[in-house]
Amino acid sequence: MNTTEEPRYIKVHPADNVAIIVNKGGLPAGAHFSCGLELKEHVPQGHKAALIDLAQNQAIIRYGEVIGYAVRPIPKGSWIEESLVDMPEPPALDDLPLGNKVPPALPPLTGYTFEGYRNPNGTVATRNLLGISTSVQCVAGVVDYAVKKIKAELLPQYPNVDDVVALTHNYGCGVAIRAPEAAVPIRTLRNLAIHPNFGGEVMIVGLGCEKLIPERLLPPGAAKTDILMLQDQQGFGGMVQAILNMAEARLIKLNQRHRITCSVAELTVGLQCGGSDAFSGVTANPAVGYAADLLVRAGATVMFSEVTEVRDAVHLLTPRVADEKTGQALIREMKYYDRYLSLGEVDRSANTAPGNKKGGLANIVEKALGSIAKSGSSPIVEVLAPGEKPAKRGLIYAATPASDFICGTLQLASGMHVQVFTTGRGTPYGLAMAPVIKVSTRDALTEQWPDLIDINTGPIATGKATIEEAGWEIFRFILEVASGRKKTWADHWGLHNDLCLFNPAPVT
Amino acid sequence: MNTTEEPRYIKVHPADNVAIIVNKGGLPAGAHFSCGLELKEHVPQGHKAALIDLAQNQAIIRYGEVIGYAVRPIPKGSWIEESLVDMPEPPALDDLPLGNKVPPALPPLTGYTFEGYRNPNGTVATRNLLGISTSVQCVAGVVDYAVKKIKAELLPQYPNVDDVVALTHNYGCGVAIRAPEAAVPIRTLRNLAIHPNFGGEVMIVGLGCEKLIPERLLPPGAAKTDILMLQDQQGFGGMVQAILNMAEARLIKLNQRHRITCSVAELTVGLQCGGSDAFSGVTANPAVGYAADLLVRAGATVMFSEVTEVRDAVHLLTPRVADEKTGQALIREMKYYDRYLSLGEVDRSANTAPGNKKGGLANIVEKALGSIAKSGSSPIVEVLAPGEKPAKRGLIYAATPASDFICGTLQLASGMHVQVFTTGRGTPYGLAMAPVIKVSTRDALTEQWPDLIDINTGPIATGKATIEEAGWEIFRFILEVASGRKKTWADHWGLHNDLCLFNPAPVT
Ligand SMILES: [Ca+2]
Ligand SMILES: [Ca+2]
Ligand SMILES: [Ca+2]
Ligand SMILES: [Ca+2]
Ligand SMILES: [Ca+2]
């Protein structure tokens, strides 16, 4: 506990009757704030202190919203530990106002570009990757073996190609391929196969007897020769050689590509949080929200996601949808997930992890209010079902589970070029298909993990930086990373998590 | 098409009114058999020909069981293509006879041993592996990085250790950890962490904020110091060094182990099929069934699995259960899966893959009748829910999905030392924690994949080998592989598929 520092708390909204403790290690009973508040007991860092005497059942207000009700009287200066907070019901979905407070468009932001690759279909890429798609998990071992060989023997001859990425996964066979929900993983794999960072080169490895017929992953215009079936090959040796041959033909083409100046409007940025704490909603997420506004002002596409972290704050989002159709799509995705969870006999409160609670987040309502700060203040112009590709530019709600790996995989399927990932507790997360920029919510994590955290927003909590400054820093860093001029720490170490498909259908 | 060979078919049971064509490439219209049958049209290899004139709605009999009904009159000598077969209902589960025909115990088989490792808790191992368990997918990138370093820098100093295996997976956070069904993946991870091939050494890497508290994976008697939390480490460098330190302490101990002679009774063998064809049920699976009987006679534990491939043949298994309790457990697992599939709006017919049908399997009934041949003829002494550990020795039904990867993972959790995997269409499947012996159902696959198939049972189809001979070959090969004297092709190439957990609960 650092008692030499002046006691500090953060109150987010004028109506709040609680505030979170900023000081590293928390503050002891008796700690005295300049406003006159005195703590009745020790309050850990990131946890809430009562700013007033709360009566039993009185609403506890943070972000100007009800995050719960006091289970018993809580005197001013007490620690509002999670067990003292009764969780409110989630907003009912049937009578929400849709698009009644669409924010005015922010002024356009010009003069910013990045260096990307131009794809044959007009899209741009932030990486020049050879992507090897797979139709079924059976081929993963052979593909992994071949990719090692490609990296060792072929890639060094093609220096303009950044990397070779095997899109291995757990789907394709041993699954109920005709279940209604199978549409989700199949759409995801189709869209992953044509990710812009693969430069329009298609390569699919299948087995031959699987349920997911590899042709279903072929984009329009691709040829049957873009598919390799292992059951057609002569032994393991034949399989590996055939994969190497297909790969080399594509490496030759990819190697001819060079970065050119591209408009920021062509960029698609995904936003996510993982290992959140109570600072997430006051430092990193609002800073990312500011960067999201800058990106939208520059014409880019920005996706935020994580249904269970939006569900309890959806009443703050429906007023922001650009039109009623978009609003209904947002409601549809919330209802879809309510039903999905209820089939498994849980609800959205299953989202919060022990680390969230240790970090000061009492429940999913408080977590959601902090999570949606990532979305900034733009109108929501489109809502995507899991793994769909956007048709518009601007701020988009891409519905996904909150699981870091599933959300990342689905945002990649939606065409994400760069992901911005905020974390309070800390996670060494990374993706092979697109760079992940890790933004820390607090100084202590950044100091502890200097070789994993890319950007620190901790100084916002102590007033040493503003949300605006951190937002600009994130915006500029996105463009540096998109241009290949800066490397994220995850890419530096090669920390790349496997794809993880969202398969709401049964396995067989 | 090889027309120089004499036309051959296989009729499995005296009551059968169909038989499958043996000849490579199938047989043309006019092909004449010694019994007098003449084909009316081309019948592909492995597909069924009508041995009699079948009336509309007449039962089509294979393995002495109804595999379906003729949708229209089918003249003798016709190809019984899958669309001509109406699928029967699955056996009702409520009135099945339980244990009414328990097979008499086969005579004990003595004089067979293998060379294994003795574990501190008395169990044996077929490999001397360092296993690194993980509580959450967030740590996978760091663990993979560290394992590469361990293999390169540490493992060569400890030559008695066979390998280092990272148990990475998609579970641990972003999941509904309190859903009733979460018991399945959690039990699986707990039991994987104490797999006998890890020699009693426990090492668990966790993050620190995940839902699956790493302590839940700790076996009784293990210490908190067997867990490493990445959020407690100083940066990525600190994480990697800490993993290496923990690993080396365990490598030193594992390196002191040597193989000793063990009783076959201490061995646990898992059986599975994948990429099945119509030969699976007449060559490979019966040969494996014969080997299963030899193993049971020698006192070993043999597990067969794959619920959707047992469901339609369950009436042939319930009479074989050793007692009523075991029978009720078998029914319970069938009902569990019926319900699981129906929640996803499918049924057990979702099992069959296009390759099964190309291989001549008309439907899941025919596939199931072939699949259960792996179980041989012993009494079924125990039934396990997915991922449970057996309490008995002998023939055990370990309920799992049929997905090769999920079944493999669950059989490993149940303590499998060696897996025998039959395949007709061909799959390059392998596991890192235990050797997988691949058994081909037909000559053509073995000739095409000589560097992947370990044992060929194709000669059974042409009468050049007997089920008994092939069964003994498999039995002896299991003991060679268990002893480390022979390597499977999958191990030779390092073809090791990722673990794939069965998680019937929702993700969040
Ligand atoms: Ca989140
Ligand atoms: Ca997340
Ligand atoms: Ca992997
Ligand atoms: Ca099977
Ligand atoms: Ca299988």
Side-chain angles (χ1 to χ4, degrees), chain A residues 45 71-72 76 138 167 177 185-186 199 274 289 333 360 438 490:
Chain A
Q45 188 194 32
V71 300
R72 59 157 174 79
K76 180 173 169 177
C138 306
L167 285 83
I177 201 89
I186 296 171
E333 293 305 321
K438 281 204 283 292

Side-chain angles (χ1 to χ4, degrees), chain B residues 164-201:
Chain B
V164 183
V165 177
L167 286 83
T168 57
H169 54 81
N170 285 334
Y171 199 74
C173 213
V175 294
I177 201 90
R178 284 195 212 89
E181 296 302 321
V184 178
I186 295 171
R187 172 170 69 217
T188 306
L189 288 173
R190 283 182 65 91
N191 285 341
L192 285 171
I194 52 167
H195 191 278
N197 285 353
F198 298 151
E201 294 301 322

Side-chain angles (χ1 to χ4, degrees), chain B residues 272-276 306 309 351 367 371 374 402 404:
Chain B
Q272 208 201 152
C273 51
S276 297
E306 301 179 289
E309 291 172 24
N351 172 298
K367 187 174 175 180
S371 181
K374 295 196 292 298
D404 298 348

Side-chain angles (χ1 to χ4, degrees), chain B residues 418-500:
Chain B
V418 175
Q419 194 179 49
V420 181
F421 186 97
T422 68
T423 185
R425 308 295 300 170
T427 156
Y429 164 84
L431 296 170
M433 285 171 59
V436 175
I437 298 169
K438 281 203 284 291
V439 179
S440 163
T441 70
R442 55 195 180 96
D443 292 342
L445 175 64
T446 313
E447 287 156 18
Q448 191 192 338
W449 286 10
D451 52 1
L452 284 170
I453 298 299
D454 298 298
I455 290 182
N456 182 28
T457 63
I460 295 171
T462 48
K464 289 179 195 126
T466 64
I467 286 170
E468 188 177 336
E469 285 162 357
W472 273 104
E473 185 188 352
I474 294 166
F475 175 74
R476 290 203 183 89
F477 196 78
I478 290 169
L479 301 188
E480 290 298 298
V481 166
S483 304
R485 285 190 294 260
K486 280 192 181 157
K487 245 190 183 178
T488 64
W489 279 112
D491 282 342
H492 174 83
W493 299 115
L495 286 180
H496 295 150
N497 289 95
D498 285 346
L499 296 174
C500 186

